[in-house]
Structure formats: C-alpha cells, structure tokens
Amino acid sequence: MRAYTLLSFYQQITATDWGAIILPICAGLAVLYMVYAFFFRPKSTAEALPDRPELNVALSNFLSAYFAGEWDAVESQIEFDHFKHTFLDQPDACRVVLHKLLAPASPYRNKANQPKLTALVKEWNLDAFVVKELSSTNESLKLETLEYAKAIPSLQLKDTVTQLAFYSTAAMRIPALVTLIELCNYQPETLRIYPHALTEEDVQKLVALYGNQTQWVAEQLPTWLEATEPQFLWFCLALAQEYKLPVEMRTLQQLAFHTHKSLGAIAIRLLDGYLQPESTTGALQQYRKKMVLEQPLPEAPTANENSFQQAIN
C-alpha cells in the first residue's frame, strides 16, 4: 500500500510542468554525488578517534590493573574476555585501544612491558586487526598503523609489511621498509634484495634507525661489507660515515674504484679520515677524488625474481 502511495505521488508530481523538470535534475545530481563520493572523495586522512568516554575509562582501569599485575592467571583471562566482548566488536574501538597501547609515546610500549603487551595483543587479536588496517586504501591510516606494527612481533604482520615495502606506492614503500627493518631486529638483509632504487634521503632515513646501536653495527660492518650488492654496500658505508665507525682500509681502497660511483665517493671520504695529508699516497687520493667524487648516484640493481620470497623467509 505504501509503495502504491509513493508511486501515485511520484506520478502526480511528474505530471506537472515543474515536476517534470526538477525531479530529473535532482536524480542526476544524486547520481553525480554518489560517483564523486565513491571514486573522488579524498581518503588521505586517517579517521579521527571516536569520543567514547565509557571505553576510555574502562580501558584505563583495565590497563592500570593488568600492567600492575593485580590479577592472577584466571582473573586475567576473565578480564580479557569481558573487555573484548564488551568493547572490541567495532573497528573504531580497536583503533582507540591500539593508539592507547602502541602509539610511540605510549607508556605501555617499553621493553619491560613487552611480554605483557604481546600477550594482550594476542588475546584481543589486535595483530590481525593491524594486518586488516594495513590493507586499507587510506594511506594516512596505513602510515599510522605502521607505527603500531613496530611493536608487534608477528610473522603474518611481517609478511604484510614486506608486501607494502616491495609493492606499494612510492610514498608508502620507505615507511614500510623502515618498519620491516625494525620488525627484523634491525638486521638489514632485506636491503640486499630490495627491488627499488633508494635515494640519498631514503638511505639517511634508514641510517637514522641505528643511532642507538652503533657498537653492534661496528661489530657487524666487516661481515656486511663482504656483500656484493651495490645498494646494500652504499647503505653500509653510509652507516660508517654517519657514525664514524672504523672500516678496514683495504676494503675502502677496493670500494674507492667501485663501478658504482656513489660507493667510491663515500669510500674516498672515509679514506680521507684515515690518511694524513702528508701521506705518500696523497697523489693517489687526489686521482681517486677526481675520478669518483661528484658523480651521479648509481641505479639500484635489478631485483631477482625471488626477492619477495627471500624477504619473508
């Protein structure tokens, strides 16, 4: 009956002169808006965290008791389940919890809390939610989620971040690569098979990750410098240059004449720090500088076909 009434009303309007003009215009505008909303509306900003006072209060109370160790194993499991079934049924609530737990400034994200934090992420399936968020088309949301991902040790998550680093847009690749290296405990082996050319700015972002690990890097450099991949060697020499780490002189002398000129340029600068100006090798140094310095950066080596599979194994 209602459908018949609406149809009758529509026929009455379209029967008038103004109705026959206005209704098609309104219908056309509605279609145009739907097309715009679906294809062209900006999706670059992350969704604002919702204002959920009851969630925030319950979460604060839960985290205070949980990290203070106020519950035994049975009580903890009861509290896990209660909070999960009460609040974590909607994506916006999961985002609030992720921000509270895993934002870089979170008081819960530290080495002492890592075992409890890992257990909580697993109990609430937050690692799976992070993987889902990283599949979003919203790049701003993905960038924010990558920051959370750094605190979650998960093989599935590592695979997802590797795909972003290797195959996503140019704006997303380097943040994902930074996250991947952190997830791999700063082992830079991924750079040996990375299929994209790094810029000098990219290399500096990667080098900056190691500011608090210079002693460990100094121990690893001799082994890393045995590699043959030019882009990886470039990264290693950039580490040595930035943190003034010692490199065996013979290695630097060999790299000074590397076919990839940027490697030679860095090797020359490092050699200048080892050799005194009055050294008998001064003429050779000047020749190397003339041949090497101020040359364009090399193109990155092409990736082998199994690069992605090697990265996730």
Side-chain angles (χ1 to χ4, degrees):
M1 182 66 181
R2 181 176 298 177
Y4 174 79
T5 303
L6 290 174
L7 178 60
S8 177
F9 178 68
Y10 174 79
Q11 290 174 336
Q12 291 177 11
I13 292 178
T14 54
T16 63
D17 292 339
W18 61 269
I21 296 173
I22 292 178
L23 282 181
I25 292 175
C26 292
L29 291 174
V31 170
L32 287 175
Y33 175 78
M34 287 188 289
V35 170
Y36 165 79
F38 187 80
F39 291 104
F40 301 107
R41 188 170 56 189
K43 300 179 181 179
S44 59
T45 57
E47 296 181 27
L49 292 176
D51 184 16
R52 295 276 299 274
E54 76 288 357
L55 169 60
N56 292 325
V57 170
L59 181 59
S60 295
N61 291 339
F62 176 95
L63 296 178
S64 296
Y66 174 64
F67 284 101
E70 296 180 4
W71 304 321
D72 61 24
V74 175
E75 291 172 325
S76 294
Q77 192 61 56
I78 293 172
E79 295 292 341
F80 285 153
D81 294 342
H82 174 72
F83 191 95
K84 179 179 180 180
H85 294 303
T86 303
F87 295 106
L88 300 184
D89 57 341
Q90 296 295 327
D92 60 352
C94 292
R95 293 187 186 109
V96 170
V97 173
L98 278 175
H99 183 77
K100 186 78 170 180
L101 279 176
L102 302 178
S106 170
Y108 307 105
R109 182 174 163 171
N110 57 58
K111 191 171 183 179
N113 286 334
Q114 190 61 49
K116 282 182 171 288
L117 190 61
T118 301
L120 188 57
V121 166
K122 183 177 180 180
E123 285 288 341
W124 286 349
N125 296 325
L126 293 177
D127 50 346
F129 181 75
V130 167
V131 169
K132 182 179 179 180
E133 294 283 271
L134 290 175
S135 301
S136 167
T137 58
N138 186 324
E139 290 204 344
S140 182
L141 177 62
K142 286 197 287 191
L143 287 171
E144 182 178 325
T145 307
L146 281 172
E147 286 297 322
Y148 304 151
K150 295 175 183 179
I152 303 176
S154 162
L155 291 177
Q156 182 186 11
L157 186 58
K158 180 186 171 186
D159 292 351
T160 301
V161 175
T162 300
Q163 292 183 56
L164 287 176
F166 277 56
Y167 302 122
S168 64
T169 62
M172 187 61 57
R173 285 199 297 260
I174 295 303
L177 184 59
V178 167
T179 299
L180 180 60
I181 290 176
E182 293 194 39
L183 287 173
C184 294
N185 295 320
Y186 298 94
Q187 293 288 348
E189 291 299 311
T190 299
L191 295 178
R192 299 183 69 165
I193 57 173
Y194 191 62
H196 303 288
L198 297 172
T199 66
E200 188 169 354
E201 182 181 359
D202 296 336
V203 172
Q204 287 306 311
K205 287 179 181 178
L206 298 173
V207 166
L209 295 174
Y210 295 84
N212 296 324
Q213 305 188 56
T214 53
Q215 182 176 350
W216 175 73
V217 171
E219 295 170 356
Q220 301 301 314
L221 264 181
T223 301
W224 293 350
L225 285 169
E226 293 175 1
T228 58
E229 297 81 8
Q231 191 156 257
F232 180 69
L233 289 170
W234 180 21
F235 163 75
C236 293
L237 288 180
L239 280 172
Q241 183 181 41
E242 177 68 20
Y243 300 115
K244 297 179 173 56
L245 303 176
V247 180
E248 206 275 324
M249 187 177 295
R250 184 178 297 275
T251 300
L252 292 177
Q253 289 173 331
Q254 292 172 347
L255 291 175
F257 284 111
H258 199 283
T259 55
H260 286 259
K261 303 303 182 184
S262 63
L263 295 184
I266 298 179
I268 288 297
R269 295 188 185 105
L270 290 173
L271 278 169
D272 280 347
Y274 286 104
L275 301 175
Q276 298 300 318
E278 63 273 14
S279 169
T280 57
T281 61
L284 178 59
Q285 284 292 90
Q286 292 302 319
Y287 173 74
R288 287 183 175 130
K289 287 182 180 181
K290 180 179 178 181
M291 295 295 294
V292 173
L293 291 179
E294 307 303 331
Q295 296 297 318
L297 298 178
E299 293 184 1
T302 57
N304 62 61
E305 295 180 356
N306 298 320
S307 60
F308 174 68
Q309 191 60 43
Q310 292 180 42
I312 65 177
N313 289 335

